[in-house]
Each structure stands twice: as structure tokens, then as C-alpha cells.
Amino acid sequence: QVQLVESGGGSVQAGGSLRLSCAASGYTFSSYSMGWFRQAPGNEREGVAAIDTDGSTTYADSVKGRFTISKDNAKNTLYLQMNSLKPEDTAMYYCAADGRWTLANMMLALADRNLELWGQGTQVTVSS
């Protein structure tokens, strides 16, 4: 069964940190570009970060310098380390996978949810 399962969300105060995980199964993890997108009520979907099959990464300007995307091919797991969290980071966070896109196109695909696979999401709430 092909699936992505996110975990690690929660409630933190501004300035705090969280680490999101995404466990993948049912497909060749190392062959797919991966990424995270988020959506808050009333806001547009936003591509947060992406990582290519060779480990290259890219980030939205809003999270650059605060968030780090990484993956462990041996564990079929994607991560998002989030530091210096702000109230505006509050959203549902989803991980996604796609075998079609290069890194640059993956960020656009995350925003459009033009993706082959995505999970159910994990809620992140940051209070001021």
C-alpha cells in the first residue's frame, strides 16, 4: 500500500522548535523528489521545502534559515526541522512525493498540490 504518514506536529510557543517526520511506504522512496507544503484556514497553500533525489534542497523565502528538510533513504523517512517558529507558521503540514518533477518544479507542484502522493497532514500551532 502506497502511503505517506506524517507525525511530530503539536503546539509550541513562538521561538520554539518542532521536528516533523513523514514515513513512506509502498514505493521506491529514494527515486522520488519529496517535499512539504502547508495550509492554514483562509490562506493559500504554500510550498515550504523540497528535496531532490540527490539531496539538493530548496525552501520558501518565508522559512529560509529557520527550517531544514532532510531524508533518510534507509528508513524511508522525510523530516522537517522547524526552528524559531512564528505564529504565522501555524498550519496543517503535509508531506508529498513525486517522481516527475525536478527540484525547482517541485516547489510549484507543492503549492498547486500537483503531486502524485501526499499524506493526511499534521497540525502545527504556534502561539505568541
Side-chain angles (χ1 to χ4, degrees):
Q1 182 180 2
V2 177
Q3 62 177 357
L4 299 173
V5 179
E6 302 93 337
S7 62
S11 297
V12 296
Q13 290 192 327
S17 298
L18 284 173
R19 188 195 196 200
L20 306 184
S21 298
C22 173
S25 60
Y27 70 99
T28 306
F29 180 81
S30 60
S31 298
Y32 279 59
S33 293
M34 302 286 296
W36 294 90
F37 65 91
R38 64 186 181 185
Q39 188 156 26
N43 289 2
E44 292 186 354
R45 189 178 306 113
E46 179 184 22
V48 175
I51 185 165
D52 207 343
T53 55
D54 65 359
S56 300
T57 59
T58 189
Y59 299 90
D61 288 343
S62 58
V63 306
K64 203 171 293 183
R66 299 187 298 122
F67 290 10
T68 303
I69 188 172
S70 62
K71 62 176 181 172
D72 186 332
N73 288 337
K75 295 182 178 180
N76 286 358
T77 302
L78 178 73
Y79 302 100
L80 185 68
Q81 178 66 44
M82 305 186 295
N83 298 329
S84 302
L85 282 161
K86 304 176 180 179
E88 51 263 44
D89 294 319
T90 295
M92 186 73 80
Y93 283 71
Y94 301 84
C95 73
D98 203 295
R100 301 169 294 172
W101 306 122
T102 62
L103 192 62
N105 291 333
M106 188 66 178
M107 287 297 284
L108 296 174
L110 288 167
D112 292 340
R113 211 172 69 177
N114 183 9
L115 303 158
E116 292 181 303
L117 302 168
W118 61 90
Q120 294 299 308
T122 186
Q123 178 67 39
V124 172
T125 303
V126 185
S127 58
S128 57

